[in-house]
Amino acid sequence: MVVTAAIPRQRLVDAQGRQIRKLRLSVTDRCNLRCTYCMPLDAAFMPTQTYLTPVEYATIVAELVELGIESVRLTGGEPLLRAEFPEIVAALAAVGVPELSLTTNGIRLIPFLPLLDRYGVRRLNISLDSLDPQTFAAISHGHHLETVKEAIATAADQGFQVKLNMVVMAGVNDHELVPMVEYAKALGVEVRFLELMRIGYACHLGSDRFVSAATMLEHLRQYYDLRPVPRPQDSTSFNFETACGAQIGFIASESQPFCGHCSRWRLSADGVLRACLFKEAGISLRGLSKAERYAAYGQVLGMKPSLRSAEVHHAMHQIGG
Ligand code: SAM
Ligand code: SF4
């Protein structure tokens, strides 16, 4: 008779009472853009042989769902570049993840909408840093503004729950807050303004590029009557609604870190599980037995810091943004 070691199956609650409920799951570190705050033009990537397979993702995610993960957001790099993206989504849907969502730059989104719809991936975060073609190209090193706007409009029209992510940078796109609110409102989607985080390649940008959420709010208050909208305690954003119904969120990870209520883990495309975006250390799950993986989950639970590091040099597209 084979005797298997007992595997602890308690929920993922750390010593500070933070329950891990959300997983950011990277399916590739590659991208078809080179946003100035994310990666250099000559970015180095992981060998594709090191990527987790659809079966490996499903195995790990099934275990984490059993331990209390309720929401899995597919990300990268640009997740829609991964050749096995359809197989990964199908495998995760089969596992029964309560909520599957996607973060994308939108360039390849339209042909994937039927697949996403079929597997219940109805919540899409789409990055859009500018409505001006030159500024969009200067930030992303790609001339894809019209493609991305078409993808946003198509997804919204098809009833997907779309949120736009705009990383706000002083002297680059910070004059576009109001146009972005108006653009999002016209499509009936939420816009979220992100503070520029000091992570990876963004550490090379001068601190004079940084715009705090407080500064953005002060600017927007000149144009709108902003009413706070309640959010879950572990939300990354704080939100407002204008009198005419525009939905605006702020992700202030620099000026108002939310570590005390953070409920997220991250799994990189090569299988490293991390407790925090701002902590390089993690544990590789590749090639581990089931018992070893459960032991690793326990270890990662103890790796979540109480406070945010000032900066981290590990690239965001490699950890999974
Ligand atoms: N490629 C997809 C995209 O751009 O939406 C998904 C991955 S990307 C790393 C996820 C999100 O992280 C994007 O909204 C991007 O703007 C944001 N991001 C990347 N680097 C950032 C930084 N240094 N500060 C703030 N946000 C950042
Ligand atoms: Fe690519 Fe997203 Fe990074 Fe831009 S932010 S370079 S789209 S991974």
Side-chain angles (χ1 to χ4, degrees):
M1 190 177 70
V2 178
V3 180
T4 47
I7 293 170
R9 290 208 159 85
Q10 67 272 32
R11 291 176 89 72
L12 300 169
V13 180
D14 76 5
Q16 295 178 49
R18 294 174 294 191
Q19 186 185 341
I20 308 306
R21 300 191 306 113
K22 300 180 180 180
L23 181 69
R24 297 278 165 91
L25 188 150
S26 175
V27 298
T28 178
D29 61 336
R30 285 167 168 71
C31 192
N32 43 3
L33 290 180
R34 293 288 182 275
C35 301
T36 46
Y37 51 72
C38 183
M39 59 169 100
L41 292 175
D42 61 348
F45 298 109
M46 302 164 182
T48 50
Q49 312 87 270
T50 64
Y51 284 171
L52 293 174
T53 64
V55 170
E56 287 170 327
Y57 279 119
T59 304
I60 293 167
V61 169
E63 291 167 357
L64 293 177
V65 165
E66 195 184 294
L67 294 174
I69 289 286
E70 297 162 7
S71 142
V72 174
R73 175 169 289 280
L74 297 157
T75 185
E78 174 47 39
L80 300 180
L81 289 187
R82 174 78 188 257
E84 294 99 340
F85 183 82
E87 289 82 1
I88 294 170
V89 176
L92 295 179
V95 158
V97 182
E99 184 189 289
L100 270 177
S101 56
L102 172 73
T103 301
T104 173
N105 62 28
I107 295 172
R108 302 187 72 179
L109 181 60
I110 291 180
F112 281 97
L113 289 174
L115 174 103
L116 296 170
D117 185 46
R118 188 176 330 133
Y119 290 111
V121 187
R122 301 285 308 169
R123 294 159 74 100
L124 309 177
N125 288 358
I126 306 176
S127 296
L128 181 67
D129 290 334
S130 176
L131 293 167
D132 172 77
Q134 272 84 42
T135 309
F136 182 95
I139 295 172
S140 65
H141 292 103
H143 295 270
H144 299 286
L145 176 61
E146 285 312 313
T147 309
V148 174
K149 282 171 69 180
E150 193 189 341
I152 292 166
T154 307
D157 192 48
Q158 292 184 12
F160 284 86
Q161 190 188 323
V162 176
K163 291 181 185 172
L164 305 181
N165 281 351
M166 174 180 176
V167 178
V168 179
M169 290 169 283
V172 178
N173 60 356
D174 59 339
H175 57 289
E176 291 194 61
L177 299 189
V178 172
M180 197 60 87
V181 169
E182 293 300 313
Y183 170 77
K185 187 184 73 181
L187 289 169
V189 305
E190 179 178 326
V191 61
R192 302 188 313 170
F193 298 117
L194 280 66
E195 287 182 352
L196 180 64
M197 291 187 284
R198 292 188 61 75
I199 177 161
Y201 198 59
C203 298
H204 299 279
L205 299 177
S207 55
D208 52 345
R209 285 274 174 258
F210 178 75
V211 184
S212 71
T215 303
M216 300 180 213
L217 253 175
E218 194 183 318
H219 175 72
L220 286 171
R221 282 209 159 102
Q222 295 171 32
Y223 300 86
Y224 304 104
D225 177 20
L226 296 174
R227 298 181 220 136
V229 174
R231 296 282 297 154
Q233 203 177 36
D234 64 346
S235 172
T236 50
S237 68
F238 54 94
N239 287 49
F240 296 87
E241 186 175 56
T242 67
C244 41
Q247 302 294 322
I248 307 172
F250 296 89
I251 303 186
S253 14
E254 291 290 320
S255 65
Q256 301 174 48
F258 27 79
C259 308
H261 298 296
C262 183
S263 58
R264 273 160 291 277
W265 273 2
R266 290 169 195 267
L267 181 61
S268 67
D270 61 350
V272 177
L273 187 64
R274 288 185 175 84
C276 174
L277 180 59
F278 280 84
K279 203 159 185 300
E280 293 193 17
I283 296 184
S284 175
L285 303 178
R286 284 178 69 233
L288 298 188
S289 67
K290 183 167 186 155
E292 288 167 339
R293 281 196 304 275
Y294 274 81
Y297 303 148
Q299 277 175 274
V300 173
L301 201 56
M303 292 168 79
K304 204 165 184 58
S306 348
L307 294 173
R308 229 204 73 167
S309 331
E311 63 179 38
V312 63
H313 290 274
H314 198 116
M316 177 123 164
H317 69 98
Q318 287 168 342
I319 295 177

